[in-house]
Amino acid sequence: MIGVVVGAVLLLWGKEQVYSSQILGQNYRYNLVVASSGGEVEFLSFDPEEKEIVVLDWPRDLMISSRSVGSYKIGDLYKLGSYEGKSGEFTRQKVQGFMKVPIMSYIELEGEKAGYKKGLWRVILQGSKVSSVERLDALLMLLRSASYVEKRVEKEELTRAGVLTTNERDEYEYQEGRLQQFLGKRVLDWGVGGEGLGVAVINKSGIVGLASDVSSFFGNTGLSVIAVRGDTGQEEDVRVTLSNELTEEQAGRMQKLLYSWFGWENIVRGDTSEYRAEIVVELGRSAEELF
């Protein structure tokens, strides 16, 4: 009897893990950050198309900027987030914001140096206590790490590429244009790019420059940015319209991707021909939370 109950519980758990997985059955990049209480931050991008893992080790004294909080060192993110009990989530949001690349999840490592394999094992053992990654997804990434080619990008390479420079206080700073060029070569999602879809971004938030910043996110995902426009209004929420010309399968994939990237749920089908794009994103003030 006990065996039957345990079996049923495991079956239900397995179904829940499969349903909530962001990796199983997907052929798109999966990005995450591993943050330690010591201030180390790793950005990882798993690419199932090229079967490679890009790992970026950001210097702890790198100065980054945020729309909502101002400027600070990347090594302070974990501590700043800990004041509200959200070290991992705060780090994920702020790294995503300055890189302008969707980061789906985080892993926290208390008192240890950031290391993604150790972090993935920690997720399997401790689950949501240390991460927003599902245990099944952590296992899948561990399995992929055994066969994928790891391409680790150190600060020396970023400096040679002009992405990182130093200021008069010998602190690292990043050059926005060079960073976007670098990321366009390293983390562009060819699985998404293969869809051949265009996106129009319309700013209805009243926040100056928000559409331009969000359009950089889309460019780094592999979608083609067709138009970036401002509009009047003080809308709060984001609204996405997927073209009626898309197949149900295409629309379903994009809906799942947009939710995975940004957590957007207000997604409808409609006529997008006015913008000559398959996806129209009308930004509200809540989009600022991406940064």
Side-chain angles (χ1 to χ4, degrees), residues 24-59:
L24 190 66
Q26 300 297 316
N27 202 38
Y28 304 113
R29 279 188 181 272
Y30 186 82
N31 304 324
L32 72 154
V33 291
V34 181
S36 80
S37 59
E40 291 87 2
V41 175
E42 280 185 347
F43 164 83
L44 295 106
S45 184
F46 285 76
D47 182 3
E49 283 280 329
E50 299 295 327
K51 291 184 169 45
E52 69 176 25
I53 308 169
V54 175
V55 184
L56 275 166
D57 289 312
W58 291 114

Side-chain angles (χ1 to χ4, degrees), residues 10-30:
L10 289 174
L11 180 61
L12 289 172
W13 177 85
K15 286 184 176 180
E16 180 182 348
Q17 288 286 303
V18 169
Y19 179 78
S20 58
S21 173
Q22 292 183 300
I23 294 179
L24 190 66
Q26 300 297 316
N27 202 38
Y28 304 113
R29 279 188 181 272
Y30 186 82

Side-chain angles (χ1 to χ4, degrees), residues 269-284:
R269 301 295 295 273
D271 181 6
T272 62
S273 58
E274 175 186 353
Y275 300 98
R276 299 182 180 180
E278 289 77 23
I279 306 167
V280 175
V281 178
E282 298 170 286
L283 298 176

Side-chain angles (χ1 to χ4, degrees), residues 7 18 35 57-59 123-124 137 149 160 166-167 195 198 228 238 264 272 289-290:
V18 169
D57 289 312
W58 291 114
V123 174
I124 292 172
D137 285 345
V149 175
R160 288 195 300 270
T166 54
N167 59 26
E195 298 278 355
V228 180
V238 176
W264 293 342
T272 62
E289 296 173 1
L290 295 175

Side-chain angles (χ1 to χ4, degrees), residues 63-281:
M63 296 298 297
I64 65 173
S65 58
S66 166
R67 280 181 163 270
S68 57
V69 185
S71 298
Y72 36 71
K73 293 181 181 180
I74 201 168
D76 293 334
L77 294 177
Y78 191 100
K79 183 177 180 180
L80 288 170
S82 70
Y83 295 138
E84 295 185 1
K86 298 179 179 179
S87 295
E89 173 57 22
F90 187 82
T91 302
R92 182 202 67 79
Q93 182 187 32
K94 298 310 174 185
V95 173
Q96 170 180 268
F98 94 87
M99 290 182 66
K100 295 184 176 64
V101 172
I103 298 178
M104 295 73 155
S105 57
Y106 65 83
I107 299 174
E108 297 177 7
L109 287 177
E110 184 69 32
E112 298 176 31
K113 184 177 179 180
Y116 74 92
K117 291 183 180 179
K118 183 184 295 183
L120 292 171
W121 276 114
R122 186 67 56 83
V123 174
I124 292 172
L125 295 173
Q126 294 184 270
S128 60
K129 292 181 180 179
V130 296
S131 177
S132 60
V133 180
E134 296 291 342
R135 281 187 166 96
L136 176 59
D137 285 345
L139 177 60
L140 290 172
M141 282 186 278
L142 268 177
L143 293 173
R144 290 180 178 183
S145 70
S147 58
Y148 282 20
V149 175
E150 180 181 301
K151 295 186 176 180
R152 187 170 290 271
V153 181
E154 307 285 356
K155 63 183 178 183
E156 291 78 14
E157 181 177 351
L158 293 169
T159 301
R160 288 195 300 270
V163 175
L164 297 182
T165 59
T166 54
N167 59 26
E168 63 277 4
R169 297 183 298 276
D170 288 329
E171 297 169 332
Y172 281 104
E173 296 179 338
Y174 68 96
Q175 302 302 310
E176 176 70 24
R178 293 292 183 89
L179 174 61
Q180 293 308 311
Q181 290 176 6
F182 188 86
L183 294 174
K185 296 177 181 178
R186 294 302 185 101
V187 301
L188 187 72
D189 194 326
W190 295 107
V192 175
E195 298 278 355
L197 303 180
V199 58
V201 184
I202 316 301
N203 191 357
K204 291 189 174 183
S205 69
I207 301 173
V208 177
L210 187 60
S212 177
D213 285 345
V214 172
S215 68
S216 296
F217 275 93
F218 286 114
N220 285 328
T221 65
L223 292 171
S224 297
V225 179
I226 304 299
V228 180
R229 298 185 186 178
D231 201 347
T232 58
Q234 296 283 331
E235 298 293 332
E236 180 62 30
D237 297 323
V238 176
R239 175 185 170 89
V240 180
T241 303
L242 302 178
S243 172
N244 289 326
E245 301 299 317
L246 295 177
T247 66
E248 288 297 324
E249 184 178 357
Q250 284 179 308
R253 286 199 300 270
M254 289 313 306
Q255 185 170 358
K256 187 169 184 177
L257 272 176
L258 289 167
Y259 180 77
S260 173
W261 291 339
F262 309 125
W264 293 342
E265 297 180 302
N266 187 8
I267 303 174
V268 299
R269 301 295 295 273
D271 181 6
T272 62
S273 58
E274 175 186 353
Y275 300 98
R276 299 182 180 180
E278 289 77 23
I279 306 167
V280 175
V281 178

